[in-house]
Structures are given as structure tokens and as C-alpha cells.
Amino acid sequence: ESTLGAAAAQSGRYFGTAIAAGRLGDSAYTTIANREFNMVTAENEMKIDATEPNRGQFNFTNGDRVYNWAVQNGKRVRGHTLAWHSQQPGWMQALSGSSLRQAMIDHINGVMNHYKGKIYAWDVVNEAYADSGGGRRDSNLQRTGNDWIEVAFRTARAADPAAKLCYNDYNIDNWTWAKTQGVYNMVRDFKARGVPIDCVGLQSHFNSNSPYNSNYRTTIQSFAALGVDVQITELDIQGGSATTYANVVNDCLAVPRCTGITVWGVRDTDSWLGSGAAPLLFDGNGNKKPAYTSVLNAL
Ligand code: XIL
């Protein structure tokens, strides 16, 4: 196959990218994105601050721009993200307790209702675990009660039964890390108690502090064995090692329930890390990097 999306489709998987609404006027960007990828995540446009800037007043202008570009070009969409400590609008940051809990529920309902039946998978909850220790991250949402995550998932299931519901996080790639075990135990508990969860998103932002480790495949296999799909949701690799990119692809392909891979941007110049990190598959001129060829050959 000659594109990432077509190559991934040979095994029933997808290959996606984050898309920024502000770049849709850049034809060099859209040409590559349209050609290579068959799944789209809005980089920022479906987040809480973007979709509910004032309480009860939803704005889907930019989310719809990304959604419509994707669907008009034959791509599916991952929804990102409904409940998160970061990129909350000011009004939500100011809430606490039962009022914040209700605002979270209302937000999930408002956004999921707008996109009902249109989203492949939603990152219902993003980054709820602490970086070390294996427990929950302290946040305004966590302070509403430990059950906030399962309430978010139950709300999401009722709002759009057609969407897969994912828990998404970073630094849960290395099987030996406490954070990975904390999320694994939560998913195991949810499956045991019938809390609706369909997938785990491994963001997979790899850098010198959180490098790729060969136990990544064990992590993917272990989550999958709980009865959830695994998706690699925000892949970027500082330095852009072709070998590491191939390892990531091979690890996903080794697990039937690893259903797809999304890279967090198109060209290095589009990366949230800055182009100096060179973490993506295309350089700033839109040329295919060695990592691109490595991924294509591995798929
Ligand atoms: C990042 C975007 O790429 C940036 O444009 C924005 O300024 C901050 O958020 N984990 C996530 C993503 O779940 O939403 C983040 O995206 C990167 C880390």
C-alpha cells in the first residue's frame, strides 16, 4: 500500500492524525492529511473550553469544521475529550462539589448529543491519574468524589450508545510504571462491576523522560485481555526515531484488539512540542521522513 491509512486498513485498523481547524486553509497540510490518514482527532476544538465557553452555551463552530473536513474526505472521527482537569473554561475551573459534578454531566450530554451517532470513539475521561504513585491526580473533578470517572462513563453511554467510550492517558505505556498499574486496576474494576468502558487510549508521547520500552506490547496485551480495545491516540516520538516508530506499529499489530494508531500532528512544524522535537512523520516542508517509511513498511 502507498498510504498510512490504506496500509493500516489491510489489517482492519486505522491510521489517524490530530487536525487543527486553524490549519485547514493550508493546502500543503490538508493535502498530506487527506492523502495519508483515515481517522481524525480534533487537536483542541472538541475540548471543554472550546465547546462550552459559557455554562450552558455550547459552541461547535470549530469542532464542526474539523468534523466536517474529516467526514467530507471519507474519514472517521475520534472525539477528544469530555472530562479533563486541563483546558477547562474559567467558569468550570471556578466550580466545585455537586455543582461541578452536574456541570460535567451536562457537558458530556451537550457535546455527545451534538455529535450523536457520528463519533467512532470518545475520550470520555482524559488524564485522571497522577504521574507517580498509581493513584488519582488531584483536580477539581477528583475532589467531587472518587466516582466521578464512572459517572462520566455511565453518562456517556446513555448519551450516545453508538460511540466507543475510552479512558485516555499519557505515561501508561510502560507496563512497570505505577501509573499504568493504577489505570489497569481501574479498568479491571470497571469491567468487573459493569461500568461501561470500551477502550483505553495510550497517548504515547515518547521522550527522554518517558521513553518507549519493549514492554509496551505487554501493556497493550494486558489492557486488551481485560476486554477493551486499545488505541494509540496521540503518538509522537521526540527525535523521530524510525526504529522506535516501527516498534510501536509492530506492538500494536501484535494485538488483535489494538485497533488503530493516531499521530499527534501532520508535520514537525504542526507539533505541539515545537518543530525542534522533530517528533512526527513529515518534516516542515511536507517531505516524508525516514520514520514515515518505517511505519509504512511495518503496517
Ligand atoms: C495539546 C495540543 O496539542 C496543544 O495545541 C494544546 O495547546 C494543549 O493540548 N494530551 C492530550 C492532548 O490529551 O489534548 C494535548 O494536546 C497533548 C497532551
Side-chain angles (χ1 to χ4, degrees):
E1 293 295 338
S2 58
T3 70
L4 301 171
Q10 294 177 113
S11 69
R13 294 178 173 83
Y14 64 81
F15 208 99
T17 187
I19 290 287
R23 296 186 197 270
L24 289 174
D26 175 348
S27 64
Y29 174 83
T30 55
T31 297
I32 298 169
N34 190 24
R35 184 186 69 218
E36 297 289 342
F37 302 101
N38 54 13
M39 184 72 78
V40 163
T41 305
E43 185 170 2
N44 289 294
E45 293 79 354
M46 294 187 192
K47 291 174 178 175
I48 313 173
D49 55 355
T51 52
E52 196 178 358
N54 299 293
R55 189 170 186 179
Q57 293 183 355
F58 290 86
N59 184 336
F60 298 108
T61 305
N62 286 321
D64 286 352
R65 280 194 180 118
V66 175
Y67 177 85
N68 289 330
W69 180 85
V71 170
Q72 283 162 10
N73 289 292
K75 304 169 199 320
R76 291 184 292 170
V77 177
R78 295 189 79 264
H80 177 77
T81 179
L82 299 167
W84 190 22
H85 68 277
S86 186
Q87 292 181 268
Q88 290 183 359
W91 64 265
M92 185 178 276
Q93 293 177 39
L95 295 182
S96 61
S98 57
S99 168
L100 174 60
R101 177 65 68 91
Q102 191 59 48
M104 177 191 82
I105 292 168
D106 294 344
H107 181 77
I108 293 170
N109 282 324
V111 177
M112 289 190 79
N113 184 52
H114 179 77
Y115 291 109
K116 188 170 183 172
K118 299 176 165 182
I119 299 291
Y120 166 72
W122 269 107
D123 292 329
V124 177
V125 171
N126 200 31
E127 302 181 346
Y129 274 73
D131 287 343
S132 55
R136 297 286 179 83
R137 170 194 299 277
D138 179 47
S139 71
N140 61 346
L141 288 164
Q142 181 62 29
R143 290 190 290 271
T144 69
N146 205 50
D147 62 343
W148 72 277
I149 298 181
E150 62 191 86
V151 168
F153 276 88
R154 291 187 199 279
T155 302
R157 178 66 94 225
D160 185 356
K164 290 181 186 289
L165 307 180
C166 300
Y167 176 81
N168 191 55
D169 214 330
Y170 64 90
N171 285 2
I172 58 169
D173 316 293
N174 187 319
W175 181 242
T176 70
W177 287 12
K179 185 172 179 179
T180 309
Q181 295 301 313
V183 173
Y184 176 83
N185 288 331
M186 177 190 73
V187 176
R188 187 173 59 183
D189 170 60
F190 280 13
K191 295 300 286 185
R193 290 192 295 114
V195 178
I197 183 168
D198 305 306
C199 37
V200 170
L202 307 180
Q203 291 185 10
S204 304
H205 295 291
F206 291 116
N207 54 58
S208 51
N209 293 321
S210 339
Y212 168 84
N213 185 289
S214 59
N215 65 33
Y216 189 57
R217 188 177 299 197
T218 300
T219 303
I220 297 171
Q221 282 167 337
S222 300
F223 277 113
L226 293 176
V228 290
D229 289 347
V230 177
Q231 297 160 15
I232 298 170
T233 54
E234 304 182 15
L235 178 62
D236 48 28
I237 300 171
Q238 186 179 54
S241 163
T243 303
T244 306
Y245 262 105
N247 287 337
V248 169
V249 171
N250 286 327
D251 290 343
C252 179
L253 264 56
V255 182
R257 290 199 80 155
C258 183
T259 59
I261 300 173
T262 294
V263 288
W264 204 240
V266 178
R267 303 162 299 192
D268 285 338
T269 42
D270 303 315
S271 171
W272 71 306
L273 301 171
S275 60
L280 296 172
L281 302 178
F282 294 86
D283 69 20
N285 293 319
N287 296 310
K288 296 170 178 174
K289 295 167 59 183
Y292 171 92
T293 308
S294 174
V295 167
L296 187 67
N297 290 340
L299 284 169

